[in-house]
Amino acid sequence: MMSQIVLKKSTAELQLMKTHYQALLSPKQPPGSIFTAKTNNCTITAYKSGKVLFQGAGCQSEADKWGGFNSEVAPKKKASSPKGSKLPDHFASLSVVGSDEVGTGDYFGPMTVVAAYVSATNIPLLKELGVQDSKNLNDQRIIQIAKQIKDVIPFSLLTLHNEKYNNMQQKGMSQGKLKALLHNQAINSVLEKMSPEKPDAVLIDQFAQEGVYYNYLKSQANIQRENVYFSTKGESVHIAVAAASILARYAFLLRFEELSKKAGFPLTKGAGPKVDECGAKLIHIHGEDSLTRFVKLHFANTDKAKALYRKKYKA
């Protein structure tokens, strides 16, 4: 994880800092920022809200120039737990590992799962960078935010490519079990990266009841159970799940672009009629056997694509 410090400064102080770093200002600035400057070992980004982010090996010495010991800490007495949930009070302000998956409803493209750790001190920064429910963000914004946070927070990314997905699914493994295995593995991996630091909690964006989830994992040697919670709409419960979702979506988009290049034409996300047309075109260009590398074969789109291929290209 990249070393970083966040300070809160007044408008006058921000202007003074901008003048100080005038010769080092970068032409590229993230949304909502006033300036970005780069020294040999530190990147300084000041935001309109007054927050200033120092990143890099020299972040401490650079922040010290501006009173670097008043690093902002996330408030502890806001946002209560969702009504009726088993989550601890003020869950949104805790240090949490959140996990989420992307690509499970897409015919083309892999399943990607990310577990990401957001400490209480990093919550204001991630909000400043625009982290929120990924469903409210377009792909361009997802990419923009993911590039900013991937070096700020520790995370673990797992990608289940279609060929392996189809092989495991054909052996009788449900999508639910595949998701459980990947979530557990990603959570274990990010906890290892964090060690010896421990989160206050782990939050899984719920795709199965707790008992079903752990039943899926019963044959695994290392099952994470300590302070693990489940919640639907996890992205709105804690920003760690939102960050995990953005990073997972970013990875999915990169893999999707690679698949489109291999196919030789732009593929379509989702599982609608246009996806069937892409499937038929893929069969026409690369043959039916190519499907196993590009799609999730058990989707109804497979039969539809084959039928469309016979009608459109074989007639």
Side-chain angles (χ1 to χ4, degrees):
M1 178 176 62
M2 182 183 291
S3 300
Q4 47 116 11
I5 292 173
V6 182
L7 303 182
K8 179 77 173 178
K9 293 297 173 185
S10 67
T11 302
E13 286 175 311
L14 292 177
Q15 191 55 51
L16 183 64
M17 292 176 75
K18 185 174 183 179
T19 301
H20 175 81
Y21 292 115
Q22 191 67 44
L24 301 173
L25 294 180
S26 170
K28 294 184 178 180
Q29 294 179 210
S33 65
I34 298 173
F35 71 83
T36 295
K38 294 186 177 182
T39 68
N40 289 334
N41 56 6
C42 183
T43 298
I44 305 98
T45 306
Y47 293 90
K48 294 175 182 177
S49 64
K51 296 186 183 73
V52 184
L53 169 64
F54 297 82
Q55 288 178 291
C59 67
Q60 185 65 67
S61 59
E62 200 64 36
D64 286 348
K65 297 177 182 178
W66 309 97
F69 295 102
N70 61 329
S71 228
E72 184 171 289
V73 177
K76 289 284 185 180
K77 294 187 178 179
K78 289 186 178 178
S80 296
S81 304
K83 188 175 181 181
S85 75
K86 296 180 181 178
L87 301 178
D89 287 339
H90 316 300
F91 191 88
S93 62
L94 300 180
S95 297
V96 171
V97 168
S99 68
D100 201 1
E101 81 284 335
V102 171
T104 57
D106 290 273
Y107 184 54
F108 290 102
M111 184 192 299
T112 57
V113 174
V114 166
Y117 174 58
V118 178
S119 65
T121 54
N122 270 338
I123 291 175
L125 170 61
L126 263 63
K127 288 182 178 178
E128 193 69 41
L129 295 176
V131 176
Q132 56 178 287
D133 189 335
S134 63
K135 298 178 186 65
N136 299 329
L137 303 170
N138 60 32
D139 288 347
Q140 184 178 3
R141 190 75 178 108
I142 291 279
I143 293 168
Q144 194 175 48
I145 295 172
K147 285 181 176 179
Q148 292 182 79
I149 67 173
K150 65 184 180 66
D151 294 322
V152 174
I153 59 174
F155 69 94
S156 174
L157 164 69
L158 296 175
T159 302
L160 184 59
H161 294 285
N162 293 310
E163 202 157 16
K164 188 171 183 180
Y165 174 96
N166 289 322
N167 181 265
M168 298 175 80
Q169 197 274 332
Q170 287 165 0
K171 289 180 178 178
M173 196 171 291
S174 69
Q175 192 181 82
K177 183 169 184 176
L178 288 171
K179 285 195 279 189
L181 292 171
L182 291 171
H183 274 266
N184 185 63
Q185 186 179 339
I187 290 166
N188 282 328
S189 178
V190 79
L191 288 173
E192 287 178 12
K193 289 182 180 181
M194 293 166 51
S195 182
E197 185 176 359
K198 286 189 175 184
D200 296 321
V202 174
L203 180 64
I204 298 173
D205 192 50
Q206 190 167 7
F207 56 87
Q209 292 298 314
E210 183 175 347
V212 174
Y213 173 83
Y214 284 117
N215 188 55
Y216 284 145
L217 300 177
K218 61 185 179 183
S219 62
Q220 300 302 296
N222 189 6
I223 302 173
Q224 185 56 227
R225 296 177 182 269
E226 185 179 358
N227 295 325
V228 174
Y229 298 89
F230 301 81
S231 177
T232 55
K233 300 181 180 179
E235 293 174 324
S236 63
V237 175
H238 197 282
I239 200 168
V241 177
S245 180
I246 287 172
L247 290 167
R249 183 69 178 174
Y250 174 56
F252 173 83
L253 291 171
L254 293 178
R255 302 296 177 267
F256 202 89
E257 187 177 349
E258 290 173 6
L259 278 181
S260 290
K261 289 179 180 178
K262 289 178 181 178
F265 62 93
L267 299 174
T268 302
K269 301 180 189 73
K274 290 186 178 180
V275 170
D276 301 335
E277 294 176 14
C278 284
K281 187 174 182 179
L282 189 71
I283 295 171
H284 176 64
I285 296 174
H286 298 284
E288 190 174 312
D289 290 344
S290 68
L291 289 177
T292 190
R293 302 192 304 275
F294 287 85
V295 309
K296 299 174 183 69
L297 288 173
H298 66 101
F299 277 36
N301 301 87
T302 298
D303 289 337
K304 293 177 182 177
K306 290 178 180 178
L308 192 58
Y309 163 72
R310 290 191 293 267
K311 180 180 178 180
K312 188 172 182 179
Y313 296 100
K314 298 285 284 184

